[in-house]
C-alpha cells in the first residue's frame, strides 16, 4: 500500500519486527530445543501478520490521528476568530494559521457547516474584505446556519 511519512518509524522496523515474529512463531510451535529452524511456512505467516499490522496501523492512523490533527487545527482556528462583526480578516487569519488558503477554506467550511462561524463581506472605502466571526450559542438560528450578509462601514 501507500507509505505514510508520519509512520516512517514503524516502516523502518518492519524487517526487524518480521524476524522477531518468525522467531516467536518458531519457538511457540516447537518443542524445547537448543536449535530452532525457521521454515518457509513460518516466514510466510510472519510476513502476512506484518502486512496486517501495517495495514491496521495505517488505517488507525488515518481514521483517528488525522482526525485529531484536523480537530486541533479547528480549535486553533477558533482561537483566532473573535465573536461579533469585528472577527478577523481572511488575510490575517491565513498569516496566523500558516496553512495554505485551500486548507483554511476547508477548515472554515467545516466550522460554517457546524454553525460555529460566519463569513461576512465588509466594504471599507470601496474595498471588499472577507471577515470571519464566531457565532455565540444563543444567536438567532438563521445566522447560525451560515447566513451571509454585506455590511458597510
Amino acid at each position: 500500500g501507500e507509505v505514510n511519512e508520519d509512520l516512517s518509524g514503524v516502516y523502518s522496523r518492519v524487517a526487524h519486527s518480521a524476524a522477531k515474529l518468525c522467531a516467536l512463531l518458531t519457538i511457540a510451535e516447537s518443542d524445547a530445543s537448543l536449535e530452532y529452524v525457521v521454515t518457509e511456512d513460518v516466514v510466510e505467516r510472519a510476513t502476512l501478520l506484518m502486512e496486517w499490522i501495517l495495514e491496521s496501523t495505517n488505517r488507525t492512523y488515518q481514521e483517528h490521528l488525522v482526525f485529531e490533527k484536523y480537530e486541533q487545527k479547528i480549535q486553533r482556528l477558533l482561537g483566532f476568530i473573535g465573536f461579533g462583526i469585528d472577527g478577523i480578516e481572511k488575510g490575517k487569519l491565513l498569516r496566523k494559521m500558516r496553512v495554505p488558503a485551500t486548507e483554511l477554506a476547508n477548515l472554515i467550511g467545516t466550522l460554517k457547516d457546524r454553525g460555529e462561524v460566519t463569513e461576512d463581506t465588509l466594504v471599507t472605502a470601496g474595498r471588499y474584505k472577507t471577515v470571519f466571526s464566531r457565532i455565540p450559542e444563543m444567536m438567532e438560528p438563521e445566522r447560525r446556519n451560515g447566513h451571509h450578509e454585506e455590511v458597510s462601514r
Side-chain angles (χ1 to χ4, degrees):
E2 191 174 307
V3 176
N4 187 317
E5 193 174 299
D6 291 335
L7 298 175
S8 61
V10 174
Y11 292 115
S12 69
R13 295 187 298 275
V14 168
H16 188 71
S17 297
K20 286 181 181 179
L21 284 173
C22 287
L24 288 171
L25 288 170
T26 299
I27 291 168
E29 295 172 354
S30 302
D31 294 329
S33 172
L34 294 176
E35 184 178 303
Y36 295 97
V37 177
V38 176
T39 64
E40 283 185 42
D41 178 58
V42 167
V43 171
E44 185 176 318
R45 289 183 9 230
T47 301
L48 288 172
L49 183 56
M50 280 308 303
E51 287 173 358
W52 178 82
I53 290 169
L54 288 173
E55 183 180 309
S56 298
T57 301
N58 196 37
R59 185 174 53 249
T60 299
Y61 176 82
Q62 293 298 326
E63 292 173 359
H64 300 288
L65 299 181
V66 168
F67 180 74
E68 287 177 18
K69 282 183 176 182
Y70 188 78
E71 283 303 313
Q72 287 171 354
K73 286 182 182 180
I74 289 284
Q75 293 308 310
R76 186 168 171 248
L77 177 58
L78 282 172
F80 290 131
I81 300 174
F83 289 99
I85 197 65
D86 291 331
I88 187 169
E89 292 178 33
K90 184 178 183 178
K92 289 181 183 175
L93 198 51
L94 274 167
R95 286 190 294 281
K96 287 183 179 217
M97 285 295 292
R98 296 186 185 142
V99 296
T102 54
E103 186 174 351
L104 180 64
N106 289 336
L107 294 166
I108 291 288
T110 297
L111 289 173
K112 286 167 60 177
D113 289 346
R114 292 179 183 176
E116 295 183 52
V117 168
T118 60
E119 179 179 326
D120 295 302
T121 301
L122 302 180
V123 182
T124 307
R127 298 186 70 177
Y128 291 89
K129 292 191 276 187
T130 301
V131 176
F132 300 102
S133 302
R134 291 184 68 175
I135 304 172
E137 290 296 319
M138 285 113 52
M139 191 164 266
E140 61 272 13
E142 67 274 2
R143 193 77 169 123
R144 288 198 61 79
N145 291 330
H147 174 71
H148 301 283
E149 67 180 49
E150 189 172 301
V151 179
S152 293
R153 283 196 170 170

